[in-house]
Amino acid sequence: MPENRQIHLDNRPAGEAQASNFVLVTAQTPALQDGEVLVRHHFLSLDPYMRGRMNDAKSYAQPQALGQTMGGGTVGEVVESRNPRYPVGTKVVGMGGWQEYSVVNADVPGALRAVDTRHVPLSAYLGAVGMPGVTAYYGLVHIIAPKAGDTVVVSAATGAVGSAFAALSKARGCHTVGIAGGAEKCKYAVDELGFDACIDYKEYSDAASLSAAIAAACPNGIDGYFENVGGMVLNAVLPRMNAFGRIAVCGMIAGYNGAPLPLTQPALILMQRLKIEGFIVSEHMEVWPAALAELGALVADGKLRARESIAQSLENAPEAFLGLLKGKNFGKQLVKLV
Ligand SMILES: NC(=O)c1ccc[n+]([C@@H]2O[C@H](COP(=O)([O-])OP(=O)(O)OC[C@H]3O[C@@H](n4cnc5c(N)ncnc54)[C@H](OP(=O)(O)O)[C@@H]3O)[C@@H](O)[C@H]2O)c1
């Protein structure tokens, strides 16, 4: 069995996460038991939620254990098998973690899923046709529930979730506006992702001026907002919400390092009779089949061309992860392991 390089959580961050929170170790791979397969990971997914799991704090998920391989989504190929349903060569998506190989009991429900790479590239199963894509789908379809002609807005617009949101909302005939960091990201959002407009929040020093720019891009107000960021961006969007608007609270990345995110005008929730709903995509497994079918078709048809930021080799995962938390990624952040 091969040697397996892994990245463990060595110690917990105080404030901003650091490279020194992680340690690279080499482990032996155990021999396979009946039902198990050895998966060689081709790509590791880096996701903002991993920052929350580095804390030992109450949350919807258990904290990442110290001295253990960091958890995370992976796609790869079965290279040894003692499970007839997953022969050698099967391409699979799973939760292999920050390591080069994983041994998986493929009979455990949900542990592995075989994927078809004929029309959709393997890496897309970690992004547009994976957890981030389904996240966009759930918040848009089940919380915002737009009608054709509605105006919908998403923050972190060019990221893994935001880019899928654009394709799904355009398919439903919405006026779709993004908020992203930097002119290059905003140009890409309009030229490549299909946004009708994109606002560079870094051009604005306060919520009032950002809010004025949002108003100009949303002349009919906002019917649905998909929140990925929090803080100034949320304070700028809230005054632009239409009566009976819906806000899907997906993420608050501006606060993941512990910064407070004060809400300056909560009375608007009452005045505009808003519905605000937080959600965790893994708690809505019932929507995954329909979501993955639609997202897979959008990718196969070239209507969702999500960009990827690809770091090379496992030892560069911590740096790429810290960059993701600062917006250095441009599209879905992956680590290529093969
Ligand atoms: N609820 C769920 O089940 C669920 C599932 C998946 C993801 N999420 C959440 O969805 C959000 C997007 O995830 P993703 O995987 O698609 O990540 P992503 O958008 O690919 O990458 C994160 C982006 O967040 C933006 N960002 C980082 N720090 C920021 C700050 N201080 N202020 C404003 N923007 C900041 C950056 O974009 P800019 O350069 O444009 O600022 C960065 O590129 C995250 O909040 C994540 O936690 C939630």
Side-chain angles (χ1 to χ4, degrees), residues 3-330:
E3 283 199 332
N4 185 20
R5 296 193 311 153
Q6 307 173 322
I7 291 183
H8 291 189
L9 182 64
D10 186 57
N11 56 83
R12 300 196 188 278
E16 210 168 280
Q18 311 286 339
S20 58
N21 298 135
F22 304 96
V23 63
L24 179 68
V25 304
T26 301
Q28 296 303 313
T29 312
L32 297 187
Q33 308 295 313
D34 280 347
E36 290 183 340
V37 297
L38 176 66
V39 181
R40 183 167 192 198
H41 301 154
H42 288 210
F43 291 95
L44 162 67
S45 176
L46 297 178
D47 295 275
Y49 76 83
M50 295 166 172
R51 174 65 189 86
R53 296 198 64 219
M54 291 171 75
N55 295 341
D56 188 6
K58 183 169 180 278
S59 183
Y60 57 87
Q62 287 296 314
Q64 167 70 46
L66 290 176
Q68 300 288 323
T69 304
M70 286 285 295
T74 46
V75 288
E77 180 172 354
V78 173
V79 291
E80 286 196 42
S81 179
R82 288 187 61 178
N83 188 312
R85 293 193 303 123
Y86 289 87
V88 168
T90 309
K91 300 286 194 311
V92 288
V93 58
M95 289 296 289
W98 295 29
Q99 56 184 339
E100 292 172 326
Y101 293 88
S102 57
V103 171
V104 184
N105 182 344
D107 289 333
V108 172
L112 277 187
R113 184 163 54 90
V115 293
D116 182 347
T117 54
R118 282 172 301 173
H119 306 292
V120 172
L122 186 60
S123 59
Y125 289 101
L126 294 175
V129 193
M131 184 276 285
V134 181
T135 301
Y137 178 96
Y138 187 81
L140 177 73
V141 176
H142 291 277
I143 297 179
I144 295 175
K147 306 183 297 297
D150 277 0
T151 295
V152 296
V153 175
V154 61
S155 49
T158 63
V161 175
S163 46
F165 182 93
L168 292 166
S169 60
K170 288 312 296 177
R172 286 163 177 73
C174 298
H175 179 69
T176 304
V177 174
I179 302 173
E184 196 192 348
K185 285 189 177 179
C186 279
K187 182 173 181 340
Y188 165 76
V190 173
D191 292 352
E192 300 289 330
L193 293 177
F195 281 97
D196 295 295
C198 182
I199 298 156
D200 173 8
Y201 69 89
K202 291 187 175 169
E203 278 188 11
Y204 303 92
S205 56
D206 55 46
S209 56
L210 177 57
S211 197
I214 294 169
C218 304
N220 297 323
I222 301 172
D223 302 297
Y225 176 49
F226 191 103
E227 175 61 299
N228 280 325
V229 165
M232 181 179 94
V233 175
L234 178 56
N235 285 322
V237 168
L238 212 48
R240 303 298 162 203
M241 293 299 299
N242 290 331
F244 304 105
R246 289 80 63 199
I247 300 182
V249 182
C250 171
M252 294 247 169
I253 195 168
Y256 287 1
N257 280 326
L261 299 177
L263 192 60
T264 52
Q265 298 186 74
L268 290 168
I269 299 168
L270 172 63
M271 284 189 274
Q272 294 297 68
R273 289 85 82 210
L274 302 179
K275 171 179 144 179
I276 302 184
E277 185 172 336
F279 72 99
I280 298 300
V281 69
S282 54
E283 294 175 345
H284 301 280
M285 296 311 291
E286 73 286 355
V287 310
W288 282 59
L292 291 174
E294 181 173 349
L295 291 157
L298 287 168
V299 169
D301 294 347
K303 292 182 179 155
L304 170 47
R305 286 178 285 126
R307 187 163 166 162
E308 297 172 336
S309 277
I310 302 181
Q312 302 292 331
S313 191
L314 186 71
E315 65 273 21
N316 293 316
E319 192 192 338
F321 176 63
L322 300 176
L324 168 75
L325 297 174
K326 294 191 169 126
K328 288 187 184 161
N329 64 309
F330 197 150

